[in-house]
Amino acid sequence: MAVSQIISDFTPIIMLYLLLHSTFISAVNITHLLSPYPDLSDFSDLLSTTTVVADLTQRTSLTLLAVPNSFLRTSELIRRSPSSTNIADVIRYHVLLQYLSLHDLRRLPPSDKLITTLFQTTGRATNNFGLVNVTYDDKTDTTIVRSPAAYSQAPSNATVISLINNLPYNVSIYSVNSLIVPYGFNLLSSESRPPLGLNISKALIDGHNFNVAASMLAASGVVQEFESDEGGAGITLFVPTDDAFSDLPASANF
Ligand SMILES: *[C@@H]1O[C@H](CO)[C@@H](O)[C@H](O)[C@H]1NC(C)=O
Ligand SMILES: *[C@@H]1O[C@H](CO)[C@@H](O)[C@H](O)[C@H]1NC(C)=O
Ligand SMILES: *[C@@H]1O[C@H](CO)[C@@H](O)[C@H](O)[C@H]1NC(C)=O
Ligand SMILES: *[C@@H]1O[C@H](CO)[C@@H](O)[C@H](O)[C@H]1NC(C)=O
Ligand SMILES: *[C@@H]1O[C@H](CO)[C@@H](O)[C@H](O)[C@H]1NC(C)=O
């Protein structure tokens, strides 16, 4: 079968589905990378219960700052609201979207290195407070991670303890001595915030040129699957316009 034949056999909707699902292949399993370290079990459980771990399988260049049980269990934040869904955003703040080896850490400038975290990508961070300020002090050989907020206002900071595990250029995992809270993040007040209420059908219909895709997505049930997969982390869809469907033969069956 010629390649062109194969391609024309794919309907746009199958293409869309494959495009999204192919990103899950060659996944990094963070739970597996953390499993040899009993001292990181609570943090690993938090990654799973908040579903943040599912966001990470699709990424190839990141640094995870894991908080050991002893530090996590004394954290005021976790003790006051152990089951809060907003813990997920605090956990996302510990996922730096850049691979940092030990060598990279030691070459950081002493004053300034701002790194984007997964929390920034949710759109829920105020301004650039979804970034972390990572500094390395060569005199004491310490790396400190904190909010880029003014020194006196930074809600917390963490010192890197050690490298736990790494898959070069994809993932490195460090232990840190504290949970890091984003600036302006009020866990208790945000607890009552309603969920984002992602409605993909509505977003497509409001986009005016995606009516065919919207009705097909709804009819196939795929739309619910995408909405529940989104898990508060944001989602990107590539959707064919109505015009793209009009070029298909009338006999095409979706
Ligand atoms: C990830 O690793 C954990 C622990 O080794 C295992 O239980 C789980 O099934 C793995 N997940 C996937 C998607 O392979
Ligand atoms: C980052 O932290 C360093 C050291 O605390 C500080 O000198 C610098 O101003 C901070 N940069 C930003 C953008 O917050
Ligand atoms: C880190 O936090 C501790 C405790 O809040 C504080 O005493 C210390 O000055 C902070 N250090 C930095 C570099 O922000
Ligand atoms: C790192 O990511 C690349 C690109 O997704 C993948 O091909 C490779 O297998 C990954 N390496 C490891 C060790 O996971
Ligand atoms: C999503 O939006 C569509 C179109 O406005 C509407 O028909 C549907 O009921 C909405 N779904 C939910 C779960 O609100």
Side-chain angles (χ1 to χ4, degrees):
M1 197 191 281
V3 171
S4 60
Q5 175 66 41
I6 295 170
I7 290 175
S8 72
D9 280 355
F10 278 97
T11 65
I13 211 72
I14 292 175
M15 297 270 273
L16 168 70
Y17 198 80
L18 289 179
L19 197 57
L20 282 154
H21 277 248
S22 60
T23 58
F24 292 90
I25 302 169
S26 88
V28 167
N29 186 338
I30 297 282
T31 311
H32 184 69
L33 293 177
L34 289 172
S35 63
Y37 306 94
D39 197 31
L40 297 174
S41 60
D42 285 9
F43 192 81
S44 182
D45 288 350
L46 272 176
L47 279 171
S48 302
T49 55
T50 57
T51 72
V52 170
V53 75
D55 297 348
L56 306 188
T57 58
Q58 309 158 47
R59 299 198 173 259
T60 52
S61 177
L62 54 90
T63 298
L64 179 68
L65 304 177
V67 187
N69 297 349
S70 49
F71 297 106
L72 209 52
R73 286 172 189 169
T74 58
S75 163
E76 188 67 9
L77 192 72
I78 300 286
R79 278 190 304 142
R80 273 196 317 213
S81 42
S83 63
S84 165
T85 52
N86 294 290
I87 291 283
D89 280 343
V90 175
I91 297 300
R92 288 189 181 97
Y93 200 47
H94 292 69
V95 180
L96 280 45
L97 302 184
Q98 184 174 332
Y99 173 81
L100 293 170
S101 65
L102 264 181
H103 184 71
D104 295 333
L105 281 187
R106 298 202 165 117
R107 290 173 58 90
L108 290 176
S111 59
D112 250 18
K113 173 74 181 176
L114 295 181
I115 300 178
T116 305
T117 74
L118 193 58
F119 175 48
Q120 183 73 20
T121 69
T122 64
R124 286 187 292 271
T126 315
N127 304 323
N128 71 341
F129 292 125
L131 277 59
V132 284
N133 180 355
V134 185
T135 53
Y136 175 70
D137 181 346
D138 59 354
K139 291 184 204 72
T140 55
D141 188 28
T142 44
T143 305
I144 292 184
V145 184
R146 59 186 193 83
S147 164
Y151 192 85
S152 60
Q153 292 173 346
S156 59
N157 63 67
T159 301
V160 172
I161 306 170
S162 63
L163 177 66
I164 297 295
N165 209 337
N166 70 340
L167 297 175
Y169 313 116
N170 285 3
V171 184
S172 56
I173 303 176
Y174 294 91
S175 57
V176 295
N177 72 352
S178 169
L179 208 59
I180 316 159
V181 182
Y183 175 75
F185 194 88
N186 186 336
L187 194 85
L188 296 178
S189 76
S190 57
E191 229 162 4
S192 57
R193 183 181 57 192
L196 276 182
L198 175 69
N199 185 333
I200 294 175
S201 303
K202 184 170 190 308
L204 289 174
I205 292 165
D206 292 350
H208 298 302
N209 200 14
F210 302 105
N211 298 300
V212 180
S215 56
M216 283 170 53
L217 277 164
S220 64
V222 173
V223 71
Q224 282 85 15
E225 193 182 323
F226 290 163
E227 285 173 359
S228 53
D229 278 355
E230 188 262 353
I235 189 168
T236 302
L237 297 182
F238 294 89
V239 180
T241 61
D242 290 343
D243 291 350
F245 288 94
S246 66
D247 293 341
L248 292 168
S251 58
N253 185 358
F254 304 115

